[in-house]
Amino acid sequence: MLPKRLVGGTGPVGEVLITPDGKAPMSSESQARWVTSSVECLSVYDRNKLLIATEAVSRSWRDQFRFVEEEVLPNGDTKPGLRPPQIGGLHAAIGHWKMSYGVATIVMPTGTGKTETMVALTIHERPSRVLVVVPSDPLRTQISEKFVNLGLLRELGVCGDSAQYPVVGTLRQGFAASHQLRNFIEGCN
């Protein structure tokens, strides 16, 4: 069941209702979910507020990443954490970025947690912007949602509690002018 209140317009820091189509849900069966927002909700484009928000989010990620690895315990239980392919992908990307400015490709098999790895890498390295290009709308939606709520990183103990949620922009159509694209990109983490 959805909470009884909706946060909309420009309001204080609080909860934001995330819906698949960006509209208010029509029933409690909706795939909508509430996430805690650490930045002010915007109902209209405000470049200055978005720039301030993205910078605040990036600063909040400083010292908030921990390499927590999944571990099989002697009793057979599994201690949650990042799986071996995710740890390997993180180390490969970080190692490359420490030694080179060149392009690199990290290949991970299906089902090994590529999206969680991208989110973890974003928190660890704190790049000014991350661009994820995908071939389909369902994948775009899935990956956007992972970035919006930091995926499983908090649950796994990888991401600290004071790390703020990123400002995520999901591009669904092109822009008429290049300055519109630039403003869109600059307003996102």
Side-chain angles (χ1 to χ4, degrees):
M1 183 134 218
L2 294 174
K4 293 183 180 173
R5 67 183 187 97
L6 292 173
V7 176
T10 56
V13 173
E15 293 179 318
V16 177
L17 181 63
I18 305 295
T19 62
D21 58 3
K23 299 176 183 169
M26 301 306 286
S27 73
S28 62
E29 274 39 332
S30 166
Q31 293 182 357
R33 72 184 188 294
W34 288 90
V35 294
T36 302
S37 172
S38 55
V39 296
E40 187 174 324
C41 300
L42 301 175
S43 62
V44 294
Y45 177 78
D46 185 323
R47 184 173 191 270
N48 291 333
K49 285 184 180 179
L50 283 170
L51 292 175
I52 291 167
T54 58
E55 290 171 15
V57 167
S58 183
R59 279 192 311 273
S60 81
W61 293 342
R62 185 181 308 273
D63 301 323
Q64 291 299 302
F65 184 88
R66 292 181 288 280
F67 280 97
V68 178
E69 295 186 45
E70 180 181 78
E71 182 182 347
V72 178
L73 303 172
N75 67 0
D77 290 343
T78 302
K79 180 185 129 205
L82 296 171
R83 296 178 299 206
Q86 294 169 317
I87 293 289
L90 282 167
H91 284 297
I94 293 165
H96 176 76
W97 285 346
K98 298 294 182 199
M99 303 299 294
S100 171
Y101 290 105
V103 174
T105 302
I106 310 282
V107 178
M108 294 174 64
T110 301
T112 56
K114 290 181 286 297
T115 304
E116 298 295 335
T117 304
M118 289 188 287
V119 176
L121 191 59
T122 300
I123 299 298
H124 186 275
E125 289 298 302
R126 299 181 3 225
S128 56
R129 304 286 179 271
V130 173
L131 174 65
V132 180
V133 180
V134 297
S136 69
D137 187 54
L139 193 54
R140 172 179 36 223
T141 301
Q142 175 187 349
I143 291 174
S144 293
E145 288 178 1
K146 285 280 190 173
F147 273 91
V148 163
N149 62 23
L150 299 177
L152 297 172
L153 298 186
R154 287 194 202 279
E155 185 180 319
L156 297 175
V158 172
C159 182
D161 291 337
S162 63
Q164 296 178 8
Y165 294 102
V167 178
V168 175
T170 302
L171 185 58
R172 297 194 185 280
Q173 63 186 27
F175 290 99
S178 62
H179 75 277
Q180 293 173 322
L181 175 61
R182 187 178 314 106
N183 287 341
F184 176 81
I185 291 170
E186 288 175 354
C188 302
N189 289 111

